[in-house]
Amino acid sequence: MTARTTAAHGEPGKQDAARAKQAVLIALDWGTTSLRAYLFDAAGEVLDTRISTAGIMNLPVPAEEGGFDAAFDEACGVWLAQAGVLPVLAAGMVGSAQGWVQAPYVETPAGEDALVAGIVKVRAASGVEMAVVPGVLEPGALPNVMRGEETQIFGALGAQGGADAAPVSQPAAQVGTQTATQTATQAATQPALIGLPGTHAKWVMVEGARIARFYTFMTGEVYAVLTAHTILGRTMKRPVAPDTAAFVRGVTVAREHGCAGVLATAFSTRTLGLTDQLAADEQPDYLSGLLIGHELAGLEAVLARRDVELAACAPRLIGADALCERYRLALAQFGCGGAQIVHRATERGLWRIAVRAGLVVASDRTDQTV
Amino acid sequence: MTARTTAAHGEPGKQDAARAKQAVLIALDWGTTSLRAYLFDAAGEVLDTRISTAGIMNLPVPAEEGGFDAAFDEACGVWLAQAGVLPVLAAGMVGSAQGWVQAPYVETPAGEDALVAGIVKVRAASGVEMAVVPGVLEPGALPNVMRGEETQIFGALGAQGGADAAPVSQPAAQVGTQTATQTATQAATQPALIGLPGTHAKWVMVEGARIARFYTFMTGEVYAVLTAHTILGRTMKRPVAPDTAAFVRGVTVAREHGCAGVLATAFSTRTLGLTDQLAADEQPDYLSGLLIGHELAGLEAVLARRDVELAACAPRLIGADALCERYRLALAQFGCGGAQIVHRATERGLWRIAVRAGLVVASDRTDQTV
């Protein structure tokens, strides 16, 4: 396996060195299958971004042969050569037992200060020191864990729109300025619900600016294996374009007829096909809607146990745009029309934690907005 | 792919021909991945059994090159050579759109007479005529289908214990004679619940000797893909022997903490491991219990909608012994202690339908017991 790094942001050439001279921080989102590196200036603006496939399970050379050093040098060596010594912060699976250094989980309820207190440092072969953000653990009969999402969550909390969001560029238009004041006020007083769709989707309740509790749904991974490795995939055809109607139908079936559980309803993908009620190219989106519908029905049930009504929530969504749009559509079927998609939560969160940890001094002190 | 046939029953040698001379029926359970052939005498006793891997998706040569003929000859040619012309009945996927001949589904509520009326015949290249039992379809928002199970269900209904079960050998001891009279009486008057654990587990309500409605749970197949292809499998070790305590723990978690649904609880297989609360070799059985627990919770919910209490049912279970024992254990966690395992439901069902269809005349008329 070889890692591939691409410069995703900024213009090439002579401007690179000039930009690097303004840099005050390197921050990494280092997961299982990818490494995203951001170069920040003192106002919290992203100067440059580099994206690599060198996730912790895909290092350019094995970990015991210096794989982490090699991946880090490949992603950030140019910046360090141009800018000299910079503080480095990293979040994600790089802090797991399989990572570069283990940053033990912080338990819920977990605020930013607890994350900062849990930071563990590792020194690269080059002498550069990297601060690694811990993950969060919710203990209990069904424990839950996150690594990386905690940083995105604090990024989303900082992205309340308006002037608060100034430290990372272009925030206002992407966060929904029309309700910015309202949501900023709500966030200070009421529990906030944050959804992170994906392979292992997470739903997080934030209370008093602390991660209070959260749930993990294996929706993305289960969808992948059902389509790739079970009888359901055999009759499916990929549609030319995403089929929104089939998706919504799946969500509705889960919501209205999901009482037997997803182990039962999933089979309808096949039987509706067998009975000519669901075309082959409708089946992938139908199944996707079905699984996301069961996820939201489960979320609705666990929220109801705490007297929280999903339909009354205005969740913030963090993730790939197209997937977040699907969730927004699915949430609407559950009567929850106020979902907002938050952009660049990762960069925001890394910057906030770096400031809180004293790795950098923000020029305008906008890190104190939450 | 080559098919393999083994004689699973009866002694080899000279007795074969003598046995074949008493034969009155060949009956086949012909599924996707296997073909089981039974040779019956006029009392409904199984004289000989042959098991082949030549399921309809694993024929010795492709279907368009005579694969069905080849598989049938390989399994039953010896019997036909010894016994001369015999009636042949088949149930299972052989009657599907991908089978030898399509026997269109009969709709619920479906009794034995409806199955007999839906039989479709196909003539082999050798001239032998085979009667193929149709599957059953339950129409609706979430349609359900079965092929092969309908035959097992009528076999189980005939296996009420005591004298009723005489046409297939050794039934009484295997069906629970102590309650035979009681269950026989119940079956005539109350809905019966029959479970068929497996890749696609089915739960069937029988009312007035007709299949009234049923549910399919993809429990077995989902377990297989979660362990083989997701993150959950990566930390698992196969235990030396099945771990009953871990299995029951999974069932209990599904029952008591399953409100978020299986997409959420499945992840606890990993997080309990990460937090040293579930050993690697406990994880397979824990996950198995979790999935079966969710299946039974879903069954309990759909039964409750019809004012049927799972705990008050005495389900009959059809399937592999070890798996049925797991289900019996899981059912007990739901307060349902009266589950009985029914053996040789396939042979019984094939015989009953053959008699009802007039393919054979039973020497003692014991086919009329239900």
Side-chain angles (χ1 to χ4, degrees):
Chain A
M1 289 185 293
T2 56
R4 193 166 39 80
T5 305
T6 52
H9 181 118
E11 311 79 32
K14 292 178 190 173
Q15 296 183 356
D16 286 355
R19 255 205 320 270
K21 294 221 167 75
Q22 304 166 37
V24 300
L25 175 73
I26 290 172
L28 310 178
D29 169 24
W30 201 338
T32 304
T33 57
S34 72
L35 164 59
R36 288 166 184 266
Y38 304 98
L39 188 69
F40 286 89
D41 73 9
E45 297 280 352
V46 174
L47 296 169
D48 200 2
T49 305
R50 289 170 63 87
I51 300 170
S52 154
T53 58
I56 69 158
M57 293 301 176
N58 191 32
L59 298 170
V61 294
E64 55 276 17
E65 295 169 24
F68 288 104
D69 274 301
F72 178 58
D73 287 346
E74 193 175 287
C76 306
V78 174
W79 292 340
L80 289 165
Q82 291 169 342
V85 174
L86 285 176
V88 182
L89 180 73
M93 291 299 285
V94 68
S96 71
Q98 294 77 42
W100 201 350
V101 65
Q102 190 165 3
Y105 292 111
V106 169
E107 289 194 9
T108 53
E112 271 182 299
D113 287 343
L115 291 182
V116 167
I119 282 176
V120 170
K121 296 189 174 174
V122 61
R123 192 172 292 278
S126 64
V128 174
E129 192 176 72
M130 177 186 293
V132 179
V133 181
V136 177
L137 164 70
E138 184 183 352
L142 298 175
N144 256 301
V145 291
M146 58 169 68
R147 275 201 190 272
E149 292 95 343
E150 73 295 325
T151 301
Q152 297 178 298
I153 288 161
F154 286 106
L157 290 176
Q160 295 299 330
D164 290 354
V168 180
S169 58
Q170 309 161 24
Q174 294 177 339
V175 180
T177 47
Q178 70 284 9
T179 59
T181 311
Q182 186 196 352
T183 54
T185 310
Q186 282 178 346
T189 55
Q190 291 183 9
L193 180 64
I194 299 183
L196 301 102
T199 304
H200 297 160
K202 296 204 186 281
W203 283 96
V204 186
M205 295 293 289
V206 178
E207 292 175 7
R210 297 195 297 179
I211 295 171
R213 70 196 65 86
F214 59 101
Y215 307 91
T216 305
F217 294 84
M218 296 182 65
T219 311
E221 191 169 21
V222 169
Y223 177 76
V225 297
L226 288 182
T227 52
H229 299 293
T230 75
I231 196 169
L232 303 184
R234 281 192 227 153
T235 53
M236 283 182 179
K237 275 190 196 164
R238 281 279 133 207
V240 178
D243 186 331
T244 304
F247 174 78
V248 171
R249 181 174 169 190
V251 175
T252 308
V253 165
R255 179 161 153 74
E256 295 178 3
H257 304 279
C259 150
V262 69
L263 295 172
T265 61
F267 197 61
S268 69
T269 313
R270 174 170 173 78
T271 57
L272 288 169
L274 278 174
T275 53
D276 295 326
Q277 297 175 82
L278 189 69
D281 63 358
E282 293 172 326
Q283 291 172 23
D285 287 306
Y286 172 82
L287 181 62
S288 167
L290 202 56
L291 296 187
I292 291 173
H294 275 284
E295 175 186 325
L296 296 183
L299 174 66
E300 190 174 45
V302 293
L303 291 178
R305 289 198 167 190
R306 298 190 169 267
D307 295 322
V308 175
E309 197 190 342
L310 176 60
C313 292
R316 269 162 276 190
L317 298 173
I318 301 171
D321 272 5
L323 187 58
C324 285
E325 282 298 345
R326 297 211 132 191
Y327 270 72
R328 192 146 72 168
L329 199 56
L331 282 160
Q333 310 308 310
F334 282 75
C336 178
Q340 289 186 318
I341 301 172
V342 180
H343 293 94
R344 293 173 306 112
T346 308
E347 300 94 299
R348 293 172 192 282
L350 287 164
W351 174 256
R352 281 172 62 99
I353 292 171
V355 171
R356 189 68 67 111
L359 293 176
V360 289
V361 178
S363 58
D364 54 4
R365 308 299 304 155
T366 48
D367 59 295
Q368 302 296 347
T369 55
V370 172
Chain B
M1 290 186 294
T2 56
R4 195 167 38 81
T5 306
T6 51
H9 180 119
E11 312 80 33
K14 292 178 191 173
Q15 296 183 355
D16 286 354
R19 258 207 316 273
K21 293 224 168 73
Q22 304 165 35
V24 300
L25 175 73
I26 289 172
L28 310 178
D29 169 23
W30 201 338
T32 303
T33 57
S34 71
L35 165 58
R36 287 168 184 264
Y38 305 97
L39 189 69
F40 286 89
D41 73 8
E45 298 278 353
V46 174
L47 296 169
D48 201 2
T49 303
R50 288 171 63 88
I51 300 170
S52 155
T53 59
I56 69 160
M57 293 299 176
N58 191 34
L59 297 171
V61 294
E64 57 276 17
E65 295 169 25
F68 288 104
D69 275 301
F72 177 58
D73 287 347
E74 192 174 287
C76 306
V78 174
W79 291 342
L80 288 165
Q82 291 170 342
V85 174
L86 284 176
V88 182
L89 180 73
M93 290 299 284
V94 68
S96 71
Q98 293 78 40
W100 201 350
V101 65
Q102 190 165 5
Y105 291 112
V106 169
E107 290 195 7
T108 53
E112 271 183 300
D113 287 343
L115 292 181
V116 167
I119 282 175
V120 170
K121 295 189 175 175
V122 61
R123 192 172 293 278
S126 64
V128 174
E129 192 175 71
M130 178 187 292
V132 178
V133 181
V136 177
L137 164 71
E138 184 184 354
L142 298 175
N144 257 300
V145 291
M146 60 169 68
R147 276 201 190 272
E149 292 95 343
E150 73 295 325
T151 301
Q152 297 178 298
I153 288 161
F154 286 105
L157 290 176
Q160 294 297 329
D164 290 354
V168 181
S169 59
Q170 310 161 24
Q174 295 178 337
V175 181
T177 47
Q178 70 283 11
T179 58
T181 311
Q182 187 194 351
T183 53
T185 310
Q186 280 178 345
T189 56
Q190 290 183 12
L193 179 64
I194 300 183
L196 301 102
T199 304
H200 297 161
K202 294 202 186 285
W203 283 95
V204 186
M205 295 292 288
V206 178
E207 292 176 5
R210 296 194 298 178
I211 295 170
R213 69 194 66 87
F214 58 102
Y215 306 92
T216 305
F217 295 84
M218 295 182 65
T219 311
E221 191 168 21
V222 169
Y223 177 76
V225 296
L226 288 181
T227 52
H229 300 292
T230 75
I231 196 169
L232 303 185
R234 281 192 227 152
T235 53
M236 284 183 179
K237 274 189 197 162
R238 282 279 133 208
V240 178
D243 186 331
T244 303
F247 174 78
V248 171
R249 181 174 169 190
V251 175
T252 307
V253 165
R255 180 163 153 74
E256 295 179 3
H257 304 280
C259 150
V262 69
L263 295 172
T265 60
F267 197 60
S268 68
T269 312
R270 174 170 174 79
T271 58
L272 288 169
L274 278 174
T275 53
D276 295 328
Q277 297 174 81
L278 189 69
D281 62 358
E282 294 172 327
Q283 291 173 23
D285 286 306
Y286 172 81
L287 181 62
S288 167
L290 201 56
L291 296 186
I292 291 173
H294 275 285
E295 175 186 325
L296 296 183
L299 174 67
E300 190 174 45
V302 293
L303 291 178
R305 288 199 166 188
R306 298 189 169 268
D307 296 323
V308 175
E309 196 190 344
L310 176 59
C313 292
R316 271 162 275 189
L317 298 174
I318 302 172
D321 273 4
L323 187 59
C324 286
E325 282 298 345
R326 297 210 132 192
Y327 270 73
R328 191 147 71 167
L329 199 56
L331 282 160
Q333 309 308 310
F334 282 75
C336 178
Q340 288 186 316
I341 301 173
V342 179
H343 293 94
R344 293 174 305 111
T346 308
E347 300 93 299
R348 292 172 193 284
L350 287 165
W351 175 254
R352 281 172 61 100
I353 292 170
V355 171
R356 189 70 67 111
L359 293 176
V360 290
V361 178
S363 58
D364 54 7
R365 307 300 304 156
T366 48
D367 59 292
Q368 301 296 347
T369 54
V370 172

